[in-house]
Amino acid sequence: MALRTLASRKALVAAALGGARPLPAARGVATFALPDLTYDYGALEPAISGEIMQLHHQKHHAAYVANYNKALEKLDAAVAKGDASAVVQLQSVIKFNGGGHVNHSIFWKNLKPVSEGGGEPPHEKLGWAIDEDFGSFEALVKKVNAEGAALQGSGWVWLALDKEAKKLRVETTANQDPLVTKGINLVPLLGIDVWEHAYYLQYKNVRPDYLSNIWKVMNWKYAGEVYENATA
Amino acid sequence: MNDVADDESASDAETEENADANGDTVDALESSDPDEVGPVTWIEQQPLPYPSDALEPYISKETVEQHWGIHQHIHVERLNGMIGGSEWEGMSLGQMMLSSFNEGREAPHPPFFHAAQIWNHDFYWRSMQPGGGSKPSERLLKFIKRDFGSYDGMIQQFMDAALTQFGSGWVWLSYKGSKLPHVNSRSPIPSDNYGRLVISKTPNAINPLVWGHSPLLAIDVWEHAYYLDYEDRRADYVSTFLEKLLSWETVESRLKKAVIRAIERDGHVSRKHVRKQLLAQGKSRIRARPQQANENARGQTSSQEKPLGV
């Protein structure tokens, strides 16, 4: 009885965390679930179209989650059998799909409709840190846009906190590599998906237009919270 | 380093014969005003070999015009903008691409991304034809069965490669001369060194020419190649490409040329090798593995008789 209550409370907590953490399982591998958005697909227009948001969430992110779960099951079996080459062989599919799940879970929280505060620039601690590490908010935006536009192929551009150096950094990662692959001390504050699927239907090849528009729905409040927690 | 030079000239021959008469011209536009710095066109993309709506309903006119007319064209503009006065000025597209690859040591030099993408796209458009698809010829099927087990086995490998290219990139069918990854290296087991078909996937702008392979067909799996028509469904796009668009005639003609080049390049090496073997046997040196020596001689002879089966 008590165990069942515990399990259901865990499930509630997992749901509240937006699905980024695994659901508890009685036995076997913990599986991951597609987190819900806290806004409608069309709520970020005109910066990002509802069509893109729906495809991006329901197809791309959902596929990362499904394939990640499948890969984890295979990994579990391979580890149990002591099959070292199978374990090693699974690393790239885990990195890709797991990374895709991690990155997109952050991304949805980085965006907010204008009506709910999206686009409002950062204040207080994060705002001051940006001024200190980049000179100005405008300079940061310019840098992120430049690095995002210059990224060849698919990837992400990040505003990161280097927890050890206590400095903000702009970083890029390729494909679905999460930010930690660029530094174990890096905490993602904001990530912008620059895969073509993130903007193609609306902006076609003009990635710079997508980049300059996405700031209008940027959720600086969330970034500020992450920053304050990490520097507390 | 004869092999390297041979490979490079083989690749040049490849790019030259793939380029139409109009393509790959070094065409400097000069303005009458000496002070005016006009744009110089060192490299051009090849024209589309069919009208922009010819691949419908499988690839839309909108995609073709966006893909050929804008994506590929931007690479042309960028490349032309960066090579004036550089070490790459005056080179052909193929030479530029291979030399700026920097042998994959660290990052390639800046022109590589654009030069390779121009080359890759030219090759991609010509890998397709309106009303393509259908099946390869009997002759080509023999190779396919030998190297992939079956036609369906090859298709499965294509799909696997396309769906595990995690990010932007390309999927290729190529012809290569040996079992080892780079064709410059030769296996010490002569029976490994027969020409074979391979499927490979490459990230972003890289192509198997830089490994010394001879590409036979290319599928663009950057999202811009299929997103307007297939959204996230890369698998549908790739299987449609293979069933409805791919020009097996083009593949076969590219294969023939690749095989001829390989024979021309490697034929004399095989003969030298055989001569060495016979000399060594004549001196009756002690061998560590006498059995293998006999096998080698036999392997060489048979590969000489029917080198590559075409």
Side-chain angles (χ1 to χ4, degrees):
Chain A
M1 181 73 171
L3 271 172
R4 219 187 305 142
T5 315
L6 188 64
S8 59
R9 205 182 298 143
K10 266 196 193 166
L12 283 173
V13 170
L17 289 168
R21 309 255 187 90
L23 298 172
R27 54 178 154 272
V29 183
T31 53
F32 292 81
L34 180 68
D36 289 330
L37 305 188
T38 58
Y39 39 83
D40 291 336
Y41 290 129
L44 302 180
E45 290 189 350
I48 305 179
S49 74
E51 194 188 8
I52 287 182
M53 288 304 294
Q54 183 164 6
L55 270 170
H56 205 171
H57 181 246
Q58 284 182 357
K59 295 286 162 71
H60 290 275
H61 190 175
Y64 292 131
V65 170
N67 292 328
Y68 185 40
N69 286 332
K70 272 191 240 160
L72 287 177
E73 263 178 61
K74 288 192 191 158
L75 178 68
D76 195 52
V79 168
K81 273 195 291 184
D83 187 346
S85 33
V87 168
V88 170
Q89 230 249 324
L90 283 164
Q91 297 309 304
S92 66
V93 73
I94 287 173
K95 184 182 189 191
F96 177 61
N97 290 295
H101 174 54
V102 166
N103 295 339
H104 286 86
S105 300
I106 297 169
F107 188 48
W108 309 133
K109 290 188 265 197
N110 288 153
L111 304 172
K112 210 62 163 151
V114 173
S115 58
E116 294 175 42
E120 268 174 36
H123 300 299
E124 297 177 352
K125 287 183 75 185
L126 178 55
W128 302 329
I130 287 173
D131 286 342
E132 179 159 337
D133 292 335
F134 298 101
S136 68
F137 177 69
E138 289 73 27
L140 167 65
V141 169
K142 206 161 166 227
K143 189 166 168 62
V144 171
N145 289 347
E147 300 220 10
L151 193 153
Q152 285 179 4
S154 308
W156 292 75
V157 57
W158 304 93
L159 172 63
L161 165 67
D162 184 333
K163 260 201 308 197
E164 205 187 320
K166 298 207 174 53
K167 283 208 139 232
L168 297 173
R169 266 163 58 181
V170 173
E171 272 295 347
T172 58
T173 55
N175 304 327
Q176 291 300 350
D177 296 355
L179 180 61
V180 288
T181 59
K182 276 292 176 89
I184 196 70
N185 294 310
L186 296 179
V187 176
L189 303 177
L190 289 179
I192 302 180
D193 189 350
V194 292
W195 280 64
E196 284 170 331
H197 65 241
Y199 59 88
Y200 205 77
L201 292 178
Q202 186 177 356
Y203 294 96
K204 303 281 182 346
N205 59 294
V206 194
R207 195 193 277 175
D209 280 358
Y210 159 70
L211 287 166
S212 51
N213 276 298
I214 200 171
W215 298 104
K216 298 177 185 162
V217 289
M218 202 61 81
N219 186 1
W220 282 106
K221 187 156 169 282
Y222 171 75
E225 283 165 11
V226 176
Y227 180 77
E228 301 210 2
N229 288 338
T231 53
Chain B
M1 295 317 285
N2 220 13
D3 267 353
V4 176
D6 283 350
D7 280 337
E8 267 187 70
S9 62
S11 314
D12 282 346
E14 168 103 58
T15 53
E16 257 140 72
E17 112 242 326
N18 275 325
D20 291 338
N22 296 329
D24 260 4
T25 50
V26 176
D27 196 52
L29 306 167
E30 281 171 27
S31 141
S32 52
D33 180 355
D35 289 334
E36 189 195 309
V37 183
V40 178
T41 310
W42 303 102
I43 295 293
E44 283 176 353
Q45 69 195 94
Q46 291 171 16
L48 271 175
Y50 33 73
S52 61
D53 63 356
L55 302 180
E56 291 203 343
Y58 311 113
I59 297 182
S60 64
K61 177 176 187 223
E62 191 191 0
T63 294
V64 174
E65 288 179 355
Q66 175 76 21
H67 198 178
W68 181 90
I70 301 183
H71 281 275
Q72 190 176 4
H73 185 72
I74 287 178
H75 286 296
V76 172
E77 282 178 21
R78 297 265 188 279
L79 183 64
N80 286 320
M82 61 171 52
I83 56 182
S86 77
E87 68 194 85
W88 295 284
E89 182 180 310
M91 286 190 192
S92 73
L93 181 62
Q95 287 170 326
M96 226 180 265
M97 176 176 74
L98 292 173
S99 93
S100 64
F101 181 61
N102 199 17
E103 294 171 27
R105 270 192 226 100
E106 303 149 356
H109 296 299
F112 176 77
F113 181 54
H114 302 296
Q117 283 294 79
I118 296 167
W119 194 95
N120 296 339
H121 283 95
D122 284 345
F123 197 79
Y124 169 67
W125 300 119
R126 279 160 178 71
S127 299
M128 295 186 282
Q129 72 184 45
S134 70
K135 289 291 197 289
S137 70
E138 275 311 309
R139 209 193 232 173
L140 190 48
L141 269 173
K142 254 181 21 196
F143 272 112
I144 289 171
K145 287 194 178 123
R146 182 194 67 182
D147 294 332
F148 299 109
S150 65
Y151 175 78
D152 288 337
M154 177 188 68
I155 297 294
Q156 188 54 52
Q157 264 197 49
F158 261 124
M159 297 303 302
D160 288 344
L163 297 177
T164 57
Q165 183 40 48
F166 293 144
S168 322
W170 299 79
V171 187
W172 307 83
L173 178 70
S174 307
Y175 171 81
K176 67 193 281 277
S178 90
K179 203 173 185 177
L180 298 182
H182 289 65
V183 96
N184 291 341
S185 37
R186 302 198 70 72
S187 170
I189 304 166
S191 56
D192 284 346
N193 296 323
Y194 69 85
R196 71 195 69 218
L197 300 174
V198 292
I199 288 170
S200 57
K201 57 188 183 188
T202 56
N204 294 352
I206 295 184
N207 62 44
L209 269 178
V210 306
W211 304 325
H213 301 182
S214 298
L216 304 176
L217 77 86
I219 308 179
D220 188 351
V221 293
W222 282 66
E223 285 174 328
H224 64 241
Y226 59 90
Y227 215 81
L228 296 178
D229 300 325
Y230 295 88
E231 294 169 342
D232 61 298
R233 300 183 313 274
R234 188 188 280 189
D236 284 352
Y237 158 69
V238 173
S239 62
T240 303
F241 176 99
L242 293 169
E243 284 168 33
K244 302 282 197 239
L245 291 171
L246 167 54
S247 169
W248 284 113
E249 288 94 358
T250 304
V251 170
E252 196 167 353
S253 96
R254 286 167 174 168
L255 176 59
K256 280 199 197 124
K257 290 175 189 154
V259 163
I260 289 167
R261 266 201 312 279
I263 294 174
E264 285 169 1
R265 186 186 64 209
D266 300 334
H268 67 284
V269 173
S270 309
R271 264 175 267 135
K272 238 200 266 172
H273 193 87
V274 171
R275 218 180 302 136
K276 261 202 227 159
Q277 293 264 358
L278 294 172
L279 280 172
Q281 281 173 355
K283 286 181 183 160
S284 344
R285 285 203 314 241
I286 296 165
R287 290 183 195 288
R289 289 181 229 154
Q291 297 286 29
Q292 185 138 1
N294 289 339
E295 248 171 60
N296 286 352
R298 247 183 288 130
Q300 273 304 319
T301 322
S302 60
S303 75
Q304 284 273 34
E305 275 162 10
K306 47 165 175 91
L308 301 136
V310 171

